[in-house]
Amino acid sequence: ILTPVARVAFSVFAFWQQRDQFYIIVTLIVLLILVHGLLTTG
């Protein structure tokens, strides 16, 4: 379950190093959706 979250979090850092603001924002939105889904289910 944590593998997709870890991959998205790693992508944020990769895009941060490339200074690609659009993909940073999109990836952060995806990360928030994943974390929200993990916290609200169960």
Side-chain angles (χ1 to χ4, degrees):
I1 291 177
L2 290 179
T3 302
V5 176
R7 290 186 69 174
V8 173
F10 177 74
S11 297
V12 170
F13 290 114
F15 291 135
W16 190 286
Q17 288 179 344
Q18 295 176 2
R19 308 237 189 263
D20 196 345
Q21 293 181 357
F22 175 75
Y23 285 111
I24 291 171
I25 292 170
V26 170
T27 309
L28 283 174
I29 292 170
V30 171
L31 185 61
L32 287 173
I33 292 169
L34 284 172
V35 170
H36 180 266
L38 286 173
L39 295 176
T40 57
T41 58

